[in-house]
Amino acid sequence: MRVLLSGGAGYIGVHTAIALLEAGHEVVVVDDMSNSSLEALVRAGEITGAGIPLLVSDIRDEARVRTFVSENAPLDAVIHFAGLKAVGESVADPLRYYDVNIGSAVAVLKLMAAESIPTVVFSSSATVYGQPERLPLVEDSPTGLDLPNPYGKTKRIVEEILADAAAAGPGVRAVALRYFNPVGAHPSGRVGEDPVGVPTNLMPYVARVAVGELERVGIFGDDYPTPDGTGLRDYIHVMDLAAGHVAALENARPGYEVFNLGTGVPISVRQLIAAFGRAARREIPSTVLPRRAGDVAASYCDPAKAWNRWGWRAERSIDDACADAWRWQSRNPQGYRTP
């Protein structure tokens, strides 16, 4: 298949590009480079030995994107990664999040209709579950729009839009992948997570502490009802997540479906810090801070549906993820800006 990746130069997008190319597919990328790097795609091409056509553009620029797509036609599918993703920023600037995240999804669906592209895989999020009522989370666990931040609300709204589009368009295949917590890097150490500014996610923050760029890790609360008092999350290696996208693409059916992509193994904040310390062979300094508003004590999934339907499941452990993330960070202490 020839697949368009919107936002394909970002962290998850570029790892998925590698997985698709290694599985024998072709990829083309549209990315506005607001939170990604051209160097990431260059390295992905070097790893796979494949060319990756790129259009630097907002996916909502209909004229430019249509021209690019016609130059690379025919396309068989779109994997839609493009969007804004910082929870705190979404609270501070909600209109921008609604504009970009919902607008980009509508633009993708309009493009698909105009170009007769039947399949879309959407980068959704476990945030659509809000405060879990029961664990582990399964695909029919309660979701809603009374979520604690606009980021999660945009993901849930786009899911509804996809469901409606699939119901209205015979033959449309729409799959929403609810990610849990992507971590790690490509095992080569050449491609990894390179957030702009101070990281907002735990593992890249820990990695920058380990490499000496930041002083210590803040642990937001150690009094949760969990084994060590810190929050439990489901951390999935980004290469397992990338393989999940390949499986979703290759097994998509007409209509709309949702799948959890996680490990089903809850890992605490302290356990992740300790695992990274083992990988880096150094102590990771940390300090306990007050709880953050909106954080939940635990969130992890039952990923059985993806195994039963696609034969996919996560294969890599938290130690594997930390080892690969440390290889990336230690070899690229300034990310893709390293000479």
Side-chain angles (χ1 to χ4, degrees):
M1 282 185 273
R2 182 173 293 168
V3 188
L4 170 65
L5 307 185
S6 71
Y11 172 49
I12 300 171
V14 75
H15 287 86
T16 300
I18 292 170
L20 286 165
L21 290 165
E22 290 179 340
H25 302 289
E26 299 175 77
V27 301
V28 301
V29 171
V30 175
D31 197 304
D32 69 0
M33 296 295 165
S34 61
N35 192 31
S36 52
S37 169
L38 176 59
E39 179 65 17
L41 283 180
V42 170
R43 295 186 186 188
E46 292 170 351
I47 289 167
T48 59
I52 304 175
L54 167 67
L55 172 66
V56 179
S57 174
D58 190 316
I59 193 67
R60 295 173 295 172
D61 189 331
E62 182 177 352
R64 294 191 69 204
V65 173
R66 287 284 301 275
T67 298
F68 178 71
V69 166
S70 67
E71 293 169 350
N72 290 278
L75 294 178
D76 302 294
V78 179
I79 301 182
H80 180 45
F81 298 106
L84 302 173
K85 62 178 184 178
V87 169
E89 184 182 63
S90 78
V91 175
D93 195 358
L95 294 183
R96 180 167 173 248
Y97 269 69
Y98 287 116
D99 182 25
V100 172
N101 289 5
I102 297 172
S104 64
V106 171
V108 164
L109 289 167
K110 290 171 66 177
L111 174 70
M112 290 173 59
E115 299 293 331
S116 300
I117 303 170
T119 302
V120 60
V121 176
F122 171 56
S123 171
S124 191
S125 168
T127 58
V128 302
Y129 292 117
Q131 294 280 349
E133 295 181 3
R134 178 181 295 179
L135 294 169
L137 290 159
V138 294
E139 286 80 0
D140 60 0
S141 293
T143 62
L145 298 181
D146 57 339
L147 299 171
N149 58 76
Y151 167 74
K153 291 177 182 178
T154 64
K155 292 294 187 181
R156 188 69 190 95
I157 291 167
V158 171
E159 287 189 357
E160 293 290 339
I161 293 170
L162 287 173
D164 290 342
V172 172
R173 299 174 174 89
V175 182
L177 301 180
R178 291 176 179 165
Y179 306 164
F180 278 71
N181 295 73
V183 290
H186 191 269
S188 67
R190 301 204 66 220
V191 176
E193 188 169 10
D194 184 24
V196 175
V198 177
T200 57
N201 292 331
L202 179 60
M203 186 174 285
Y205 199 103
V206 173
R208 291 195 182 178
V209 172
V211 83
E213 188 174 323
L214 295 172
E215 182 178 356
R216 61 184 59 245
V217 181
I219 298 173
F220 294 100
D222 65 348
D223 57 350
Y224 285 103
T226 62
D228 65 14
T230 65
L232 296 173
R233 296 294 183 269
D234 191 334
Y235 295 99
I236 177 172
H237 195 295
V238 68
M239 291 308 301
D240 283 331
L241 187 63
H245 288 77
V246 178
L249 190 70
E250 293 178 342
N251 293 280
R253 297 175 177 177
Y256 170 73
E257 291 189 285
V258 172
F259 291 84
N260 286 331
L261 293 189
T263 66
V265 179
I267 301 292
S268 77
V269 174
R270 290 196 187 278
Q271 286 176 317
L272 186 147
I273 294 171
F276 208 100
R278 292 192 297 271
R281 298 183 180 180
R282 63 193 63 191
E283 182 179 355
I284 309 295
S286 63
T287 187
V288 176
L289 301 171
R291 292 188 186 188
R292 288 184 301 194
D295 278 354
V296 299
S299 177
Y300 56 94
C301 76
D302 178 352
K305 182 179 177 181
W307 170 252
N308 293 334
R309 280 284 309 281
W310 306 335
W312 173 92
R313 62 183 165 198
E315 299 177 351
R316 297 163 179 85
S317 69
I318 192 64
D319 287 298
D320 295 329
C322 289
D324 288 337
W326 175 241
R327 187 178 301 110
W328 152 256
Q329 193 69 62
S330 59
R331 295 180 182 180
N332 304 269
Q334 298 177 19
Y336 292 113
R337 297 171 296 282
T338 302

